[in-house]
Amino acid sequence: MFYTEDTLILALICIVNETRDLIVFSFLLAMCKGMDNSKRRMYLRILFVIGFLLSVAGTYTLYVHYEAVSQHQRDEVLKEAQRIIDETAKDIDAHLRPLIPLTTALAEDLSRQMLSLKALESYLIDRAKTQPNLFGVGVAFEPFAFSSQIKLFAPYLTTRGQPSCPQPRDGRCLVSVDYDYTEFAHRWYREPFLNGAMWNEPHFGMANQTLLAEYAVPLYRGSPGGSALEPIGVVFANYSLDYVRQLLNESRISRTGYGFLISPEGRFLAHPRHDFVKNRKTIFQLAWAKEDTVLQSMAIRAITGEKSYIEHVDPETQQEEWIVFQPIPSTGWALGGVFIKEELLKTETFRGGLIQILLGMMLSTIFLGALVATLWTSGIREVWSDVVLVSLCFVVAIVCIWIIEDTYPDHEMRDVEVSTGPQSFTSYFPNGKARSIVDESTLQQILHSYEDVSEEAGQKAPLYIPTGLFLQSIEFSSSTNVEVTGYLWQTYQQGVHKGIARGFILPEANDLTVELAYHEADQNCPPLSDAGLRDCSELLGWYFSGTLRQNFAYDRYPFDRQEVWLRLWHKDFARNVVLVPDLQSYDVMNHVNRPGLEQEFVLPGWSIVGSGFEYRLHGYNTDFGIRHYVGQENFPELYFSVEIKRDFLSPFISKFIPQLVIASMLFAILLTGSKREERATWLGFSAQDVVLGCAALFFVLIFDQASLRDKLPYDRIMYIESFYFILYVAIMLVCINAILFAVSQSKLIQYQDNLLLKLGFWPVVTGAMLMITLGVFY
Amino acid sequence: MTRAALFFGLVLIMGIGWLAAYVMLAQQSPITVGVLHSQTGSMAIHEQGVIDATLLAIEHINAAGGIQGRLIQPVVVDGASNPAIFAREAERLIVEEQVSVVFGCWASACRKTVRPIFERHKHLLFYPVQYEGLEMSSNIVYLGATPNQQIIPTIKWLMSTKRKRLFLVGSDYVFPRAAHAIIRAYVTRWRGEIVGEVYIPFGRETGEGVQLAVQQIVAAKPDAILNTINGQANVSFFRALRDAGIASDAIPTVSFSISEPELQHIAPSLVQGDFAAWNYFQSLKTARNETFIKEFQERYGRNRVVGDPMEAAYVAVHLWSEAVAAGDSAEPEHVLSQMRGRSFSGPGGMVYVDTENLHTWKTARIGQIGQNGQFEMIWSSETPIRPDPYPSIRSQKEWDIFLKDLNQQWNGQWANPNPASEYE
């Protein structure tokens, strides 16, 4: 996806470099044949110099390629984000713009001719029909401007939200604004006289008790716009902010982040946090509360009509994000989209690129080391120093790959069922992945979307139960069983949760024990033992302990990361009850701050990477016998997950060091093989002794591997097991070599007292380990 | 041996090179900045605090290692409350002292007098005080409020509290004249009424003309008084007001040039219950502000107070220093290129330098004077207000003509040079 033209060219350069290396090498090696020793050494040095230079050039090219690919990935993601914002802005603009000609035409008509009351009503009704999503349209006249008998007159035709309408008109409701709108406090009426036709700041419509986005045009006697003419009123038409929010929710932003709309004063018109809109909060208040100068600058740039983006780190959650913004042309509002980097950037790109660079550096080091060796030593010492260098380089490369794996882990470890359903809801769970809940905005977005899905499916509106969790301990009792203890609490509200059972279910738990630990309730709450329908505000906290059965992937052991999760169901799981994380109960919800975990949490052999709540979509192929079951398809199930990383030290000491010792002992056995008289007498070499020694090492190894398998019964080969297999092969080869060395007259075997195998042992063993490591982690 | 010697030789050369570079960096010459305010004359009561705040900011930056290792060296000069002296000293700071920037001026008359000097030398002035607007120089960064960030929000607030009959009183120089023109236009549009307008001489320490002004106020019986008097005359004005029986609860005064330091010169009983409009009050309850106040009082004394222009002066130095660091140069043109769009979190909240007009986005605030000589904030704009130097009620050309006419009436000066006949 990211390998476009530029990166392909760079990749091509790499291939050309490597091919060139091989050609030059072959040519120089061919030249070395038949030369005397000094000449050969000279050519060898030239060969190493060229090899070094070429490998440095290759590494540099890989580095440039890596940078380009990383940058390209960032650019592509950002471009996509900008495209989404652009598309959404145009869409919202197209929906809102029709209000302008409607209101302007109304103002022009009314300024040309003052209508009678009846005619004005009919006129408003006719106009309202042309805009299906219109919330209301009206005219507010200056004192005595409509009639010398009436001081204030402001007919307002609303299209919704009037359950007891005094004057129903064709499915709509005609009301009269019944307060003195000419008072200074009513900006919606005052400001159009000062500024001309304009989108008013969002305000609370008294007639409908609804927040409104409104376009207003001053009305003058004669023709509109002429400031010298007598002002006689204001014509206005509006949408409800719920409609504006709906427009935003239907956009593509929600798939990868969330969007918001702000007015020219920075007031939120739409935001996943409804309380921001309801309380008429501004983006500046958010920035000031966090002393976030970057956010403030962005807000100012956005409301002054700039189209751009910023890189932002949330001061509270430390979450890195892009905020892309651009104006909505017809309204002067600004649309912003928050895109979380971690969710969008693929770490595999970084991991793969770094490993490539590492291999290039390793090659350069080998050439440089070999060149130095030709300058400082000669003969067999030179060859041995090359062997040591190569083996060390391989070992260093393996260790570096482990570090890279630790820094850029593979995030694609979760296996979550992929569900299908209405795009607007399932789009929050791309490819069926879990959706982390780190803030109220994301949570509200998902819940609102689920409400829409429920409504479409003809289900009752979902009921939300705020649920919190605090884990006290986690312990692996086996490779698939985890014992957990902790507290879980739920808050119920009177009127909202009437008749809902109190309690929860951990479907994966065995031997679950749950005890009520604390209970705070209103005075009118019946005792919990009362089986009747409960309807009171209360907080219930339970202490629980149990064993969770889960499948873990150990392919990368001992570099594996696991996710221990608790799936939470409500006791009334058959009803449309959704558990929502009680975010208010946690200081910071960012994953790395480990919300819901004991600060001194100890899990022997593991490090805690993070924790948090997430939603996953689930579908079941049964209704559990409950005919009205609502959770059969695409039900958002709440999970609390803890991401853990295995501590490397313990497996390193218990597994890698013994393997290293065994490999060293095997090499020592190999070194004993000598037919030179003095050495043979001294070391007492015999093929039988070698075979016996190898057999002893083999038994040690196989017992060690068996103990590993006992501890982690797993149906696939783990990374560390590959090293056992390499050592098995090495043991076998040493045995065969000992026999052949004893009986065969092959020049290859007998060369320099079996030197070739001795020289090749470490490069082959470490090289094989490197290959396996690359295969697993690259 | 030869190879080893070569290796160690190279290491030695590199080490010496790094050391030399470090010494050169450490010994870089300081950046000289000018501080141009009145230390004597009628405006000294306003401007001494601004000098202190400016020097405190410089001390803080120097204590933190300066700007990229370069310390700031201030050159403080006295404008003596006289526009002509301001002009002479500004020229000297730029030409003789070769300062990189000047932090200075209070009265608009002084700023307008030095403006051509800064523009001619393509130099840079940071101006910390609220003013009448109607100006936009690409060589001045305006840290004070424009009318739409102080005056217009105050009128809106008065209107929303149903005080619609207003009386205007001010010193006779460019700021009050322009401010009153703006107030008059907005009050009329918003169905209010200006019931009187009077000026007293600018730059006189005596209360000349004050009695006449108060008599007119008594006669007009306004709902509120809008006060743009600058300098010592405020003391006489409030005393005369109370002597005439005008209490703050009946006819409150809203002042645009009285902040905490000025209140120290007026008896609290004379002003308690009155209001002032600013962008910053010492009483703001934020951790950042409390630290700033503590540091200021530790440096200058427990009894010292901080007002809006002082906070703006403090922020100005930090904004400038960040721009120098970002542009890697203290040259005025480089600093100017870094100023637009720059944001800083100061004691009064966050400010942002507008990319078009080099004024700062600010929050408007109204405070009521308490017994302790401090303001209790009673209203603030919920959002920072974009600076609009030219209020939209007239075009920029019309405003320019307005100023030109004033200037011509006053014989090319920015304050009425001969007001005696009007006030006697």
Side-chain angles (χ1 to χ4, degrees), chain B residues 274-322:
Chain B
D274 281 323
F275 302 92
W278 289 104
N279 306 111
Y280 167 86
F281 292 114
Q282 180 179 322
S283 56
L284 281 181
K285 299 271 181 293
T286 63
R288 180 85 182 79
N289 185 45
E290 280 162 14
T291 309
F292 169 63
I293 299 299
K294 192 176 158 218
E295 286 169 348
F296 185 85
Q297 291 181 337
E298 275 172 6
R299 174 70 180 79
Y300 295 110
R302 293 279 161 208
N303 295 328
R304 290 295 301 276
V305 291
V306 177
D308 179 292
M310 292 164 68
E311 188 263 355
Y314 180 84
V315 169
V317 180
H318 281 282
L319 269 174
W320 168 80
S321 116
E322 287 192 357

Coordinates of all heavy atoms in Angstrom, one line a residue, chain B residues 274-322:
Chain B
D274 N -16.7 50.2 42.5 CA -16.6 50.6 41.1 C -15.9 49.5 40.3 O -15.5 48.5 40.9 CB -15.7 51.9 41.0 CG -16.6 53.1 41.3 OD1 -17.8 53.1 41.0 OD2 -16.0 54.1 41.9
F275 N -15.9 49.7 39.0 CA -15.4 48.6 38.2 C -14.2 49.0 37.3 O -14.0 50.2 37.1 CB -16.5 48.1 37.2 CG -17.8 47.7 38.0 CD1 -18.8 48.5 38.3 CD2 -17.9 46.4 38.4 CE1 -19.9 48.1 38.9 CE2 -19.0 45.9 39.1 CZ -20.0 46.8 39.3
A276 N -13.5 48.0 36.8 CA -12.5 48.3 35.8 C -12.5 47.2 34.7 O -12.9 46.0 35.1 CB -11.1 48.4 36.4
A277 N -12.2 47.5 33.5 CA -12.2 46.5 32.5 C -10.7 46.3 32.0 O -10.0 47.2 31.7 CB -13.0 46.9 31.3
W278 N -10.3 45.0 32.1 CA -8.9 44.7 31.7 C -9.0 43.3 31.1 O -10.0 42.6 31.1 CB -8.0 44.7 32.9 CG -7.6 46.1 33.4 CD1 -8.1 46.6 34.6 CD2 -6.8 47.0 32.8 NE1 -7.6 47.9 34.7 CE2 -6.8 48.2 33.7 CE3 -6.0 47.1 31.7 CZ2 -6.0 49.3 33.4 CZ3 -5.2 48.2 31.4 CH2 -5.2 49.3 32.3
N279 N -7.8 42.8 30.8 CA -7.6 41.4 30.4 C -7.0 40.6 31.4 O -6.9 39.3 31.3 CB -6.8 41.3 29.1 CG -7.4 42.2 28.0 OD1 -6.8 43.2 27.6 ND2 -8.5 41.9 27.5
Y280 N -6.5 41.2 32.5 CA -5.8 40.5 33.5 C -6.1 41.2 34.9 O -6.1 42.4 34.9 CB -4.3 40.5 33.3 CG -3.5 40.0 34.5 CD1 -3.2 38.7 34.7 CD2 -3.0 41.0 35.4 CE1 -2.5 38.3 35.8 CE2 -2.2 40.6 36.5 CZ -2.0 39.2 36.7 OH -1.3 38.8 37.8
F281 N -6.3 40.4 35.9 CA -6.3 40.9 37.3 C -5.4 40.1 38.1 O -5.3 38.9 37.9 CB -7.8 40.8 37.8 CG -8.7 41.8 37.2 CD1 -9.8 41.3 36.4 CD2 -8.6 43.1 37.2 CE1 -10.7 42.1 35.8 CE2 -9.5 44.0 36.6 CZ -10.5 43.5 35.9
Q282 N -4.8 40.8 39.1 CA -3.9 40.0 40.0 C -4.6 38.9 40.7 O -4.0 37.9 41.1 CB -3.3 41.0 41.0 CG -2.3 40.3 42.0 CD -1.7 41.3 43.0 OE1 -1.4 42.4 42.6 NE2 -1.5 40.8 44.2
S283 N -5.9 39.1 41.0 CA -6.7 38.1 41.8 C -7.0 36.9 41.0 O -7.7 36.0 41.6 CB -7.9 38.8 42.3 OG -8.7 39.3 41.2
L284 N -6.6 36.7 39.8 CA -7.0 35.5 39.0 C -6.5 34.3 39.7 O -5.3 34.2 40.1 CB -6.3 35.6 37.6 CG -7.0 36.4 36.5 CD1 -6.2 36.3 35.2 CD2 -8.4 36.0 36.3
K285 N -7.4 33.3 39.8 CA -7.0 32.1 40.6 C -6.5 31.0 39.7 O -7.2 30.1 39.3 CB -8.2 31.6 41.3 CG -8.8 32.6 42.3 CD -8.2 32.4 43.7 CE -8.8 33.4 44.7 NZ -8.5 34.8 44.5
T286 N -5.3 31.2 39.3 CA -4.6 30.1 38.5 C -3.2 29.8 39.1 O -2.6 30.8 39.7 CB -4.5 30.4 37.0 OG1 -3.6 31.5 36.9 CG2 -5.8 30.7 36.3
A287 N -2.8 28.6 39.0 CA -1.5 28.3 39.6 C -0.4 29.1 38.9 O 0.5 29.6 39.6 CB -1.2 26.8 39.3
R288 N -0.5 29.3 37.6 CA 0.5 30.1 36.9 C 0.6 31.5 37.4 O 1.7 32.1 37.6 CB 0.2 30.0 35.4 CG 1.1 30.8 34.5 CD 2.2 29.9 34.1 NE 3.2 30.6 33.2 CZ 4.1 31.4 33.7 NH1 4.2 31.7 34.9 NH2 4.9 32.0 32.8
N289 N -0.6 32.1 37.7 CA -0.6 33.5 38.1 C -0.1 33.6 39.6 O 0.6 34.5 39.9 CB -2.1 34.0 38.0 CG -2.2 35.5 38.4 OD1 -1.3 36.3 38.0 ND2 -3.1 35.8 39.2
E290 N -0.5 32.6 40.4 CA -0.1 32.7 41.8 C 1.5 32.6 41.9 O 2.1 33.3 42.7 CB -0.7 31.6 42.6 CG -2.2 32.0 43.0 CD -3.1 30.8 43.4 OE1 -2.5 29.7 43.6 OE2 -4.3 31.0 43.4
T291 N 2.1 31.8 41.0 CA 3.5 31.7 41.0 C 4.1 33.0 40.6 O 5.1 33.5 41.2 CB 4.0 30.6 40.0 OG1 3.2 29.4 40.3 CG2 5.4 30.3 40.1
F292 N 3.5 33.6 39.6 CA 4.0 34.9 39.0 C 4.0 36.0 40.1 O 4.9 36.7 40.3 CB 3.2 35.3 37.8 CG 3.4 36.7 37.3 CD1 4.7 37.1 36.8 CD2 2.4 37.6 37.3 CE1 4.9 38.4 36.4 CE2 2.6 38.9 36.8 CZ 3.8 39.3 36.4
I293 N 2.8 36.0 40.8 CA 2.7 37.1 41.9 C 3.7 36.8 43.0 O 4.4 37.8 43.4 CB 1.2 37.0 42.4 CG1 0.2 37.3 41.4 CG2 1.1 38.0 43.6 CD1 0.3 38.6 40.7
K294 N 3.9 35.6 43.3 CA 4.8 35.2 44.4 C 6.2 35.7 44.0 O 7.0 36.3 44.8 CB 4.8 33.7 44.6 CG 5.5 33.3 45.9 CD 5.3 31.8 46.1 CE 6.4 31.3 47.0 NZ 6.9 30.0 46.6
E295 N 6.6 35.4 42.8 CA 8.0 35.7 42.3 C 8.1 37.2 42.2 O 9.2 37.8 42.6 CB 8.2 35.1 40.9 CG 8.4 33.6 41.0 CD 8.4 32.9 39.7 OE1 8.0 33.5 38.7 OE2 8.8 31.7 39.6
F296 N 7.1 37.9 41.8 CA 7.2 39.4 41.7 C 7.3 40.0 43.0 O 8.2 40.9 43.2 CB 5.9 39.9 41.0 CG 6.0 41.4 40.7 CD1 6.6 41.9 39.5 CD2 5.4 42.3 41.6 CE1 6.6 43.2 39.3 CE2 5.5 43.7 41.4 CZ 6.1 44.1 40.2
Q297 N 6.5 39.5 44.0 CA 6.6 40.1 45.3 C 7.9 39.8 46.0 O 8.4 40.5 46.8 CB 5.3 39.7 46.1 CG 4.1 40.4 45.5 CD 2.8 40.0 46.3 OE1 2.8 39.0 47.0 NE2 1.8 40.8 46.1
E298 N 8.4 38.6 45.8 CA 9.7 38.2 46.4 C 10.8 39.1 45.9 O 11.7 39.5 46.6 CB 10.0 36.8 46.1 CG 9.4 35.8 47.1 CD 9.5 34.3 46.6 OE1 10.2 34.1 45.6 OE2 8.9 33.5 47.3
R299 N 10.6 39.5 44.6 CA 11.7 40.3 44.0 C 11.5 41.8 44.4 O 12.5 42.5 44.6 CB 11.6 40.2 42.5 CG 12.5 41.0 41.6 CD 14.0 40.6 41.8 NE 14.8 41.5 41.0 CZ 15.2 42.7 41.4 NH1 14.8 43.2 42.5 NH2 16.0 43.4 40.6
Y300 N 10.3 42.3 44.4 CA 10.1 43.8 44.6 C 9.4 44.2 45.9 O 9.2 45.4 46.1 CB 9.3 44.3 43.4 CG 10.0 44.2 42.1 CD1 9.6 43.3 41.1 CD2 11.1 44.9 41.8 CE1 10.2 43.1 39.9 CE2 11.8 44.8 40.6 CZ 11.3 43.9 39.7 OH 12.0 43.8 38.5
G301 N 9.0 43.2 46.7 CA 8.4 43.6 48.0 C 7.0 43.1 48.1 O 6.3 43.0 47.1
R302 N 6.6 42.7 49.3 CA 5.3 42.1 49.6 C 4.2 43.1 49.3 O 3.0 42.6 49.0 CB 5.2 41.7 51.1 CG 6.2 40.6 51.4 CD 5.6 39.2 51.0 NE 6.6 38.2 50.9 CZ 6.6 37.2 50.1 NH1 5.6 37.0 49.3 NH2 7.6 36.3 50.1
N303 N 4.4 44.4 49.3 CA 3.3 45.3 49.2 C 3.0 45.6 47.7 O 2.1 46.3 47.4 CB 3.6 46.6 49.9 CG 3.7 46.4 51.4 OD1 3.0 45.5 51.9 ND2 4.5 47.1 52.1
R304 N 3.9 45.2 46.8 CA 3.8 45.5 45.4 C 2.6 44.7 44.8 O 2.4 43.6 45.2 CB 5.0 45.2 44.7 CG 6.2 46.1 45.0 CD 5.9 47.6 44.6 NE 5.7 47.7 43.1 CZ 6.7 47.8 42.3 NH1 7.9 47.8 42.6 NH2 6.4 47.9 41.0
V305 N 1.9 45.3 43.9 CA 0.8 44.7 43.2 C 1.1 44.7 41.7 O 2.0 45.4 41.2 CB -0.5 45.4 43.5 CG1 -1.0 45.2 44.9 CG2 -0.4 46.9 43.1
V306 N 0.3 43.8 41.0 CA 0.6 43.7 39.6 C -0.7 44.0 38.8 O -1.8 43.6 39.2 CB 1.0 42.2 39.3 CG1 1.1 42.0 37.8 CG2 2.3 41.8 40.0
G307 N -0.6 44.8 37.8 CA -1.7 45.1 36.9 C -1.6 44.6 35.5 O -0.6 44.0 35.2
D308 N -2.6 44.8 34.7 CA -2.7 44.2 33.4 C -1.5 44.6 32.5 O -0.9 43.7 31.9 CB -4.0 44.7 32.7 CG -4.2 44.2 31.3 OD1 -3.4 44.7 30.5 OD2 -5.1 43.4 31.1
P309 N -1.1 45.9 32.4 CA 0.0 46.2 31.5 C 1.3 45.5 32.0 O 2.2 45.2 31.2 CB 0.1 47.7 31.6 CG -1.3 48.1 32.0 CD -1.7 47.1 32.9
M310 N 1.4 45.3 33.3 CA 2.6 44.7 33.8 C 2.7 43.2 33.4 O 3.7 42.7 33.0 CB 2.7 44.8 35.4 CG 2.8 46.2 35.9 SD 2.4 46.4 37.6 CE 3.7 45.5 38.4
E311 N 1.5 42.6 33.5 CA 1.5 41.2 33.0 C 1.8 41.1 31.5 O 2.5 40.2 31.1 CB 0.1 40.6 33.4 CG 0.0 39.1 33.1 CD -0.6 38.7 31.8 OE1 -1.1 39.6 31.0 OE2 -0.7 37.5 31.5
A312 N 1.2 42.1 30.8 CA 1.4 42.1 29.3 C 2.9 42.3 29.0 O 3.5 41.7 28.1 CB 0.6 43.2 28.7
A313 N 3.6 43.2 29.8 CA 5.0 43.4 29.6 C 5.8 42.2 29.9 O 6.8 41.9 29.2 CB 5.4 44.6 30.5
Y314 N 5.4 41.5 30.9 CA 6.1 40.2 31.3 C 6.0 39.2 30.2 O 6.9 38.6 29.7 CB 5.5 39.7 32.6 CG 6.1 38.4 33.1 CD1 7.3 38.4 33.9 CD2 5.5 37.2 32.8 CE1 7.8 37.2 34.4 CE2 6.1 36.0 33.3 CZ 7.2 36.0 34.1 OH 7.8 34.9 34.5
V315 N 4.8 39.1 29.7 CA 4.5 38.1 28.6 C 5.3 38.5 27.3 O 5.8 37.7 26.6 CB 3.0 38.0 28.3 CG1 2.7 37.3 27.0 CG2 2.2 37.4 29.5
A316 N 5.3 39.9 27.1 CA 6.0 40.4 25.9 C 7.4 39.9 25.8 O 7.9 39.5 24.8 CB 5.9 41.9 25.9
V317 N 8.1 40.0 26.9 CA 9.6 39.6 27.0 C 9.7 38.1 26.6 O 10.5 37.7 25.9 CB 10.2 39.9 28.3 CG1 11.7 39.5 28.3 CG2 10.1 41.4 28.6
H318 N 8.8 37.3 27.2 CA 8.8 35.9 27.0 C 8.5 35.5 25.5 O 9.1 34.7 24.9 CB 7.9 35.1 27.9 CG 8.5 34.9 29.3 ND1 9.4 34.0 29.6 CD2 8.3 35.7 30.4 CE1 9.7 34.1 30.9 NE2 9.1 35.1 31.4
L319 N 7.5 36.2 25.0 CA 7.1 36.0 23.6 C 8.3 36.3 22.7 O 8.7 35.6 21.7 CB 5.9 36.8 23.2 CG 4.5 36.3 23.4 CD1 3.5 37.3 23.1 CD2 4.3 35.1 22.5
W320 N 8.9 37.5 23.0 CA 10.1 37.9 22.2 C 11.2 36.9 22.3 O 11.8 36.5 21.3 CB 10.6 39.3 22.6 CG 11.9 39.7 22.1 CD1 12.1 40.2 20.8 CD2 13.2 39.6 22.7 NE1 13.5 40.4 20.7 CE2 14.1 40.0 21.8 CE3 13.6 39.1 24.0 CZ2 15.5 40.1 22.1 CZ3 14.9 39.2 24.3 CH2 15.9 39.6 23.4
S321 N 11.5 36.4 23.5 CA 12.6 35.5 23.7 C 12.3 34.2 23.0 O 13.2 33.6 22.4 CB 12.8 35.3 25.2 OG 12.6 34.0 25.6
E322 N 11.1 33.7 23.0 CA 10.8 32.4 22.3 C 10.9 32.6 20.8 O 11.4 31.7 20.1 CB 9.4 32.0 22.6 CG 9.3 31.4 24.0 CD 8.0 30.7 24.3 OE1 7.1 30.7 23.4 OE2 7.8 30.1 25.4

